[in-house]
Amino acid sequence: MSSDGKSGAESLDPEQLWLRPTEPRRGRRPSFSRETITAAAVTLADAEGLDAVTMRRVAAEVGAGVMSLYSYAPDKETLLELMVDHVSGELTVTDPPSGDWRADLKTVARLQRAHMLRHPWLPVALSTRHVPGPNTLAFLEHVLAVLRPTGLDGAAKLEVFAQITAFVAGHVAHEIAQAAVSRSPDRAAAEGRYLAAVAADGCHPELAEALSAPGRPLTPDATFTRFLSRLIDGLDTD
């Protein structure tokens, strides 16, 4: 909480965060920087999840006192903003849009999926953050260029970006959860027996028909590609 009683997300000042100098204005120059702090927090989150990212843990990682971190990130919500934008620097696109916006948008979504799988904490973080930083804005600029051939207005383009990002985040969160379940063969076998019993009870004819249909490839890549195609191929640009 900030001094005015608001949560970090509510009291966050984007000008202060992104446009003003990041080094403390007074006192001896510290041996660490906002970049160092953010990188340490990302490393912790990648290894142990977001719950491991506390100001005390991050301070220990950079060899600083906890209080000295507050000049750079006054609370965990601000640190989370810094972390998300830090890793967004990995979403570098060097090739210009091809003009086939649907194909280009699928490429964008695949980049986002790979990015979130490298940083499994991102789907949760993206559901709470509100202030895009410079790396995020650079990626957004590319996506808006991809969408130029659609003729959509600016607000609609931003909505498409939000829609695709939300889809990828939700899918990756589900993918990570399913991977954890698949490591338990007993659980998977039990779920299979349960669904077979439900399909055979006569009370769920629609489900029985759906389960009897020919199967599709269930690899994570194949599943993501099918879902993504349904979403992007069906986008309305009128």
Side-chain angles (χ1 to χ4, degrees):
M1 299 290 285
S2 64
S3 59
D4 61 4
K6 295 181 180 180
S7 70
E10 292 173 332
S11 62
L12 194 67
D13 181 344
E15 290 182 306
Q16 180 67 41
L17 182 61
W18 299 122
L19 299 181
R20 296 177 185 172
T22 60
E23 301 293 344
R25 297 179 180 178
R26 298 178 181 176
R28 186 177 63 184
R29 184 178 180 85
S31 59
F32 53 88
S33 64
R34 189 168 81 171
E35 181 75 9
T36 303
I37 293 167
T38 306
V42 167
T43 299
L44 274 174
D46 287 347
E48 303 179 38
L50 278 181
D51 288 343
V53 180
T54 65
M55 302 302 276
R56 186 172 299 279
R57 283 289 305 275
V58 174
E61 290 296 319
V62 300
V66 176
M67 295 306 296
S68 64
L69 263 62
Y70 291 108
S71 295
Y72 301 89
D75 47 46
K76 185 172 178 178
E77 288 81 3
T78 302
L79 181 58
L80 190 58
E81 297 280 345
L82 295 171
M83 291 166 61
V84 171
D85 196 67
H86 177 85
V87 298
S88 292
E90 300 169 10
L91 291 168
T92 302
V93 183
T94 57
D95 295 331
S98 70
D100 182 344
W101 68 268
R102 292 185 191 275
D104 288 345
L105 202 56
K106 290 175 184 178
T107 297
V108 163
R110 292 190 188 99
L111 283 172
Q112 288 181 308
R113 173 177 173 250
H115 181 57
M116 292 182 203
L117 288 172
R118 284 195 302 273
H119 304 288
W121 50 272
L122 262 177
V124 173
L126 289 171
S127 70
T128 61
R129 67 185 296 272
H130 305 286
V131 187
N135 290 324
T136 306
L137 290 174
F139 187 64
L140 172 59
E141 185 71 13
H142 171 75
V143 177
L144 293 176
V146 162
L147 291 170
R148 177 169 287 280
T150 65
L152 292 169
D153 63 30
K157 289 177 185 175
L158 292 172
E159 287 177 347
V160 168
F161 176 68
Q163 182 180 5
I164 297 300
T165 301
F167 160 73
V168 177
H171 187 91
V172 169
H174 178 73
E175 191 174 335
I176 292 169
Q178 288 298 105
V181 171
S182 69
R183 289 194 288 269
S184 172
D186 291 342
R187 167 71 181 272
E191 288 183 356
R193 291 193 299 271
Y194 166 71
L195 288 175
V198 170
D201 66 9
C203 298
H204 305 86
E206 298 293 339
L207 177 61
E209 181 180 351
L211 291 175
S212 67
R216 293 184 171 90
L218 296 179
T219 64
D221 289 348
T223 301
F224 180 77
T225 296
R226 285 197 304 274
F227 288 9
L228 181 64
S229 293
R230 290 184 188 127
L231 173 62
I232 292 180
D233 292 348
L235 279 175
D236 185 3
T237 59
D238 293 336

